[in-house]
Amino acid sequence: MTILAIESSCDDSSAAVIIDGKLHSNIVASQAIHQKWGGVVPELASRAHQQHIVPVVAEALATAKITKSDLNAIAFTRGPGLLGSLLVGTSFAKALALGLDIPLIDVHHMQAHVLAHFIDEPKPQFPFLCLTVSGGHTQIVFVRSALDMEIIGETQDDAVGEAFDKTAKLLDLPYPGGPLIDKYAKEGNPLRFEFPTVEMQGLNYSFSGIKTAFLYFLQKETAKNPNFVEENIKDICASMQHTLIKILLQKLKKAAKQYKIKDIAIAGGVSANSGLRAELQRLGEELGWNVYIPQFQYCTDNAGMIAMAAHFKAEKGEFCGQDVSPMPRMEW
C-alpha cells in the first residue's frame, strides 16, 4: 500500500510517501513570509500553500523513488486548522485522487501528531497517554489503539503554545518566539522569578491567567527599570518556561496515576522544547515511566505523521469520498 500524504493545516506545506507502513520521504516547505507580521497571516498562508504544494509533492515522490502511477491512495489533513490552508491541501488531494482514480483518506491533524510515534522505533505500547502540545491545542490523550483515542484533559482557554508565543511577543522577540525562549532559558535561572498558576478541575488546563500575570509583571518591572528585559532576558525566559512545563507535567503525572499507565508520550510543536523533553525524561526516570519523545522533524507540522495516520486508516478500510470538505474545527 503506497500512500501520498499532504499536510497544509497552518503555515507549513508538506508531502510524504509511506509504503506498507514505512516512511520513504517527508518534505516540508516553511513560510518565512509571516516573520515580518509577528504571526501567521491566514490569507498569506493559503497563497503560499498554492505556490509550494506542487513542488513538495514532486519532491516527495522523487525522494521515495516512485511516480504518481504507483500510488494507491491520497491522504490529507482535513482539520483542524486554517480554512484557506486546509482548502488548498484538500482540493489538491481530491483532484489528484480523482485523476488517478484512487481513494482518499481524511486525517485528523491532532490524532496524526499522536501517531507520529509509530514512524520510528521505539514505539509505545497500547494503551498509552500522550500529551499533545501545540500553538492551538493542549490535550492529554488516552490512546487505546491507533484509531481509538479519547481526550481526558485539555485547556479551557489558551493553548500552552499561545502562552509561549505571547511571552515572546511581550519580550519583543522575533517570530517564531518559542525556539528563542527555549534558547535563552538554557542559560537562565528557572527559579529567579515566580509566576502564578491556576488549578483547574480534573485533568484540564488554563493558560490565560499566566499570560496576563506575565504582562503585569513586565509592566511593573520595566516601570522601575526600563532596561529590565534586556538585562534579565535569560532568567525571565527560564522562569516562564519552567512554570509552563511544571503546569503541563503536574496534570500528566496525575493522569498517569489515575489511569495506571506507564507508557507516556508527548507530541505537537511544543514537544520540540528542550526543557519539556528533558523534564519529562527526568520525571519518567523518577516514576518508572517508559517515555516516548518523537524526533524533532516529527514534532512540528509535517506530512510524515499524516502518512502514518493514513496507513492505520487504510488498514481498516477507512476511506472517504470526493464529497469531503475541510473542517477547521474538526472534532475527534
Side-chain angles (χ1 to χ4, degrees):
M1 187 72 178
T2 302
I3 303 170
L4 169 68
I6 296 167
E7 154 61 18
S8 67
S9 64
C10 191
D11 62 333
D12 286 330
S13 306
S14 183
V17 172
I18 193 167
I19 303 175
D20 295 332
K22 182 180 179 182
L23 196 63
H24 284 251
S25 64
N26 186 32
I27 309 301
V28 180
S30 297
Q31 301 176 3
I33 192 170
H34 304 285
Q35 292 178 355
K36 66 179 290 187
W37 303 105
V40 177
V41 181
E43 178 61 24
L44 296 179
S46 56
R47 292 182 185 183
H49 281 303
Q50 290 178 311
Q51 297 173 335
H52 292 162
I53 194 162
V54 171
V56 296
V57 167
E59 189 173 348
L61 294 174
T63 302
K65 297 186 168 88
I66 65 167
T67 65
K68 60 182 183 292
S69 60
D70 296 313
L71 298 173
N72 302 118
I74 310 292
F76 63 97
T77 301
R78 187 179 183 186
L82 301 175
L83 177 58
S85 296
L86 292 169
L87 270 170
V88 175
T90 302
S91 300
F92 185 91
K94 289 169 67 173
L96 185 56
L98 186 63
L100 296 174
D101 193 26
I102 57 178
L104 285 163
I105 305 172
D106 59 327
V107 173
H108 190 291
H109 180 80
M110 296 308 295
Q111 293 177 0
H113 269 304
V114 174
L115 296 176
H117 286 281
F118 294 89
I119 295 175
D120 289 327
E121 298 288 349
K123 301 172 183 177
Q125 299 296 310
F126 297 114
F128 67 93
L129 292 179
C130 186
L131 176 65
T132 57
V133 280
S134 67
H137 298 83
T138 302
Q139 304 166 333
I140 301 177
V141 183
F142 180 47
V143 189
R144 298 184 183 88
S145 71
L147 301 179
D148 184 4
M149 307 180 196
E150 178 188 356
I151 299 173
I152 58 174
E154 62 185 330
T155 180
Q156 299 301 291
D157 39 59
D158 300 329
V160 69
E162 292 178 76
F164 274 106
D165 290 342
K166 183 66 173 179
T167 297
K169 198 161 190 176
L170 290 172
L171 293 173
D172 203 25
L173 297 176
Y175 176 85
L180 287 174
I181 290 177
D182 192 13
K183 177 183 175 182
Y184 283 124
K186 291 177 182 177
E187 301 177 28
N189 176 6
L191 303 179
R192 171 85 182 280
F193 303 109
E194 188 173 341
F195 300 107
T197 59
V198 176
E199 178 58 36
M200 300 294 288
Q201 288 187 340
L203 300 173
N204 291 324
Y205 294 101
S206 172
F207 292 100
S208 62
I210 192 172
K211 291 194 326 185
T212 303
F214 185 72
L215 170 63
Y216 291 153
F217 163 78
L218 287 185
Q219 289 176 341
K220 177 183 176 182
E221 295 299 331
T222 52
K224 294 185 290 185
N225 176 11
N227 298 319
F228 174 76
V229 171
E230 182 180 346
E231 294 173 0
N232 298 278
I233 185 70
K234 294 177 181 178
D235 289 345
I236 295 171
C237 289
S239 298
M240 186 62 167
Q241 179 169 289
H242 170 75
T243 304
L244 293 173
I245 291 172
K246 180 174 69 173
I247 295 171
L248 288 173
L249 296 185
Q250 279 178 342
K251 288 300 176 87
L252 184 60
K253 182 178 176 180
K254 183 177 180 180
K257 183 178 181 180
Q258 182 176 326
Y259 282 78
K260 297 180 173 60
I261 297 289
K262 291 291 186 180
D263 279 29
I264 310 293
I266 56 171
V270 180
S271 67
N273 180 277
S274 66
L276 176 59
R277 295 164 82 94
E279 187 59 20
L280 181 61
Q281 290 278 24
R282 187 202 65 76
L283 189 61
E285 292 174 5
E286 176 187 320
L287 300 176
W289 290 350
N290 302 312
V291 173
Y292 299 91
I293 301 175
Q295 293 184 33
F296 282 107
Q297 64 176 315
Y298 303 130
C299 291
T300 52
D301 295 346
N302 67 95
M305 68 184 195
I306 305 301
M308 183 53 64
H311 164 72
F312 285 115
K313 295 193 74 172
E315 281 189 327
K316 298 294 185 180
E318 294 190 11
F319 301 98
C320 65
Q322 282 284 336
D323 59 343
V324 67
S325 59
M327 299 179 66
R329 297 184 180 277
M330 189 175 183
E331 298 294 334
W332 283 60

